[in-house]
Amino acid sequence: MGMRKKIVPLAMASAMALSLAACGGGGSSSGGGGQQNSDASANMEGRGPITYVQGKDNSNVVAPMIAKWNAAHPNEKVTFKEQSDNADQQHDDLVKNFQVKNPNYDVVSVDVVWTAEFAAKGWLQPLKDTMALDTSKMIPSTVKAATYNNTLYAAPQSSDGAILWYRKDLVPTPPKTWDEMMKDCNIAKKNNMGCYAGQFAKYEGLTVNASEAINSAGGKILDDSGKPAVNSDQAKQGLQNLADAYKNGDIPKEAITYQEEQSRAAFQNGNLLFLRNWPYVYNLLKGTGSKVADKFGMAPLPGKDGPGASSLGGHSSAISVYSKNKATAHDFLNFVTSEEQQKAFAINGSLAPVLGSLYTDSAVVKELPYLPVLKTSIDNAVPRPVTPFYPAVTKAIQDNAYAAIKGDKDVSTALDDMNKALTAATAGSQ
C-alpha cells in the first residue's frame, strides 16, 4: 500500500522468500552515493529530540508508541509529524523535504516501493557498521524490501498482504476464484448493494489493484529480467476482468474514486458484498458504529484457479542522512522493531508484524484471527517492481489501468500504451 495499512505491509512464512529486489532493474546504480556518504558520515553520535514522519495514523498506534518512548527518553523526545492518508502525497512530501535537506525529518516511514528510489538518491542512512540493526528475527521478505544494492537502508516496521473481506451472513462460502465471485454478485443485486470494490482511483492503490488483477490471472507487469511483460493474454485477461466488472456494474460506479478509506467505509456501512483491502481494516470493521461488526468474514483474494496474487505491502522506517541526531534515531528504530512494540502494532492496530515469531504468538492470534488467511495472502504475494524509477513505473500502470477500467480505452490499447510507458520508464535501469 502503499498504503498504510501501507499498513502496509503478515503472516509471512517461509514462502516469503519472494525476492522483492529481483523485480526491478537498477541493481548497479549507485545514484547519489557521493552525497549520501558525505552526509551519512556526520552526526552519527548526535543525540537529542527527533521528528518521526508518517502518513495518517488511521490505526491509532503512533501516539501511544511515542508517548511511551518520550516517558523513557525525556531528553530525546520524539515529535510526530502526521502526513495525509494518501500514499502519493506522503511520497511527494518526503521528496520535497529530502531535496531541501530538511534536518527535521529525522525518521521517516517509507512504503516498501520507495526504498530503492530514496536510497539511490542518497537520502537514506545506510544501516550498517555502527548503524547496523539486528534483522535475524525478521521475516526475510520484509528485510529484502528494506534493502538496496545489498545494503539495508530501513528498519522493517510492518508488512502487508491483501485480504478479501466478505459478508459471511450473505455468502456462507467465500469464492475461491474470480469467476466464482462474479457469480456471487447476484447475491449483491438481490440485497440492493454493490458487489465488489478495491481501490480504483488514479493513485498508488490502483497500481496495487491492477497488479493483483494481472498477476492473479497469470500475467506479469515485468518479467524476471525487469523488462515490461504486460502484452500477454494473461495480463489482458486480468485487466479485462476489472474493466468488464466495472462496465456491467458488479464493481459499482463510485468505486472509480475509491482509495483505502472510501472502500472500507462502503463495506463497513453495508454497501458492499466483497471488499479487497488490507488487514488494518479489521479493528475498524469490528468497532463501534460498524454495520457489519458481526457479519464479515475473511478469505484470500480470488485468483484464476485458486488464491490470487496479493501485492506485497508494508512500511519501513528510515533515518534521513540529514538528521542531526542519528544516534537517537537509531535507538528509535530498535524501539519500533522491538517485540513489545510489534505486538502492540498488531493487537491494537491490526498491523502485520515483521517478526516471524508473532504469527504463532497465542495472544496475537487470539486478537487477529485473520492471520491464517494473511499467511496465504503473503505466500502467494507478488511484489511490485523494485526500481529507482518506480514513480514512472507506477504512473504507467495507473494511467492506463484507470483508462481501461473506466472504459476510456479498450484493454488491448491500454496494455499497449502501458507497455510503451513502462519501456520508457525502465530504459535507464536495463
Side-chain angles (χ1 to χ4, degrees):
M1 209 56 224
M3 290 82 18
R4 178 152 306 264
K5 348 285 175 262
K6 309 327 24 82
I7 22 201
V8 150
L10 298 106
M12 327 194 358
S14 52
M16 303 273 294
L18 287 165
S19 173
L20 288 176
C23 286
S28 62
S29 171
S30 59
Q35 177 66 52
Q36 175 192 77
N37 291 337
S38 61
D39 282 294
S41 63
N43 307 314
M44 293 301 205
E45 300 304 320
R47 290 194 172 278
I50 61 173
T51 296
Y52 171 63
V53 183
Q54 181 197 290
K56 188 170 178 60
D57 182 27
N58 290 319
S59 299
N60 301 314
V61 293
V62 175
M65 172 185 74
I66 290 179
K68 185 171 184 178
W69 167 274
N70 287 346
H73 302 83
N75 297 320
E76 300 174 272
K77 288 191 174 182
V78 174
T79 298
F80 177 35
K81 183 187 185 305
E82 189 172 35
Q83 300 168 304
S84 78
D85 62 359
N86 179 286
D88 297 334
Q89 292 171 4
Q90 294 164 20
H91 171 274
D92 293 346
D93 177 60
L94 293 178
V95 169
K96 179 179 67 175
N97 282 277
F98 282 138
Q99 287 175 336
V100 298
K101 303 183 179 182
N102 183 356
N104 299 317
Y105 270 44
D106 297 275
V107 176
V108 299
S109 177
V110 294
D111 189 296
V112 291
V113 297
W114 303 340
T115 305
E117 175 195 357
F118 292 172
K121 290 180 176 177
W123 292 336
L124 306 184
Q125 169 64 43
L127 300 179
K128 60 182 181 179
D129 303 327
T130 60
M131 299 294 283
L133 291 179
D134 180 7
T135 60
S136 61
K137 296 180 181 178
M138 296 178 183
I139 296 163
S141 65
T142 67
V143 178
K144 288 175 181 173
T147 299
Y148 177 68
N149 273 358
N150 299 314
T151 298
L152 187 71
Y153 280 92
Q157 182 170 330
S158 65
S159 193
D160 237 342
I163 288 177
L164 182 71
W165 306 86
Y166 69 98
R167 287 288 297 274
K168 66 180 182 182
D169 57 326
L170 301 176
V171 182
T173 303
K176 291 183 173 59
T177 68
W178 177 267
D179 288 344
E180 288 178 8
M181 183 168 69
M182 290 299 98
K183 289 179 181 177
D184 284 341
C185 287
N186 288 326
I187 299 172
K189 291 186 178 70
K190 292 177 183 176
N191 288 275
N192 195 30
M193 61 199 302
C195 182
Y196 171 78
Q199 295 75 47
F200 305 121
K202 194 191 293 185
Y203 79 119
E204 181 62 26
L206 180 54
T207 294
V208 170
N209 280 253
S211 297
E212 288 173 348
I214 288 171
N215 291 324
S216 293
K220 293 181 178 181
I221 302 291
L222 302 180
D223 64 20
D224 293 340
S225 66
K227 295 181 180 178
V230 292
N231 276 339
S232 71
D233 291 342
Q234 293 90 341
K236 181 178 180 181
Q237 183 60 60
L239 190 55
Q240 193 73 55
N241 285 339
L242 294 180
D244 289 347
Y246 186 75
K247 184 177 181 179
N248 67 28
D250 288 336
I251 293 176
K253 297 307 178 193
E254 59 269 23
I256 200 72
T257 68
Y258 283 176
Q259 297 183 19
E260 279 84 1
E261 282 294 273
Q262 291 86 359
S263 61
R264 188 265 301 174
F267 184 82
Q268 187 169 315
N269 290 330
N271 298 324
L272 277 178
L273 189 63
F274 298 106
L275 168 68
R276 175 260 173 243
N277 212 322
W278 306 100
Y280 87 100
V281 306
Y282 178 80
N283 281 359
L284 297 168
L285 296 181
K286 294 287 286 187
T288 304
S290 172
K291 295 182 180 179
V292 299
D294 299 313
K295 300 176 181 178
F296 71 88
M298 300 151 286
L301 295 183
K304 183 179 180 182
D305 303 307
S310 166
S311 291
L312 188 63
H315 285 75
S316 302
S317 286
I319 300 172
S320 167
V321 295
Y322 308 115
S323 170
K324 303 296 186 185
N325 292 318
K326 291 193 176 76
T328 296
H330 183 261
D331 288 351
F332 185 66
L333 294 192
N334 280 322
F335 172 74
V336 167
T337 56
S338 66
E339 182 173 344
E340 182 179 9
Q341 194 55 51
Q342 285 287 303
K343 187 178 289 190
F345 285 158
I347 293 177
N348 300 325
S350 298
L351 299 178
V354 300
L355 301 178
S357 61
L358 294 184
Y359 289 91
T360 54
D361 184 294
S362 58
V364 179
V365 175
K366 180 180 179 182
E367 292 290 331
L368 307 178
Y370 58 71
L371 284 182
V373 173
L374 204 47
K375 178 180 182 298
T376 300
S377 174
I378 296 304
D379 286 352
N380 291 280
V382 175
R384 285 167 285 169
V386 175
T387 165
F389 308 98
Y390 188 79
V393 168
T394 188
K395 185 178 188 303
I397 299 170
Q398 289 172 37
D399 288 351
N400 291 288
Y402 183 84
I405 295 169
K406 198 176 178 185
D408 295 340
K409 294 181 182 179
D410 63 71
V411 170
S412 293
T413 300
L415 288 176
D416 283 341
D417 291 347
M418 187 187 298
N419 193 71
K420 292 173 184 174
L422 286 171
T423 300
T426 59
S429 66
Q430 299 303 319

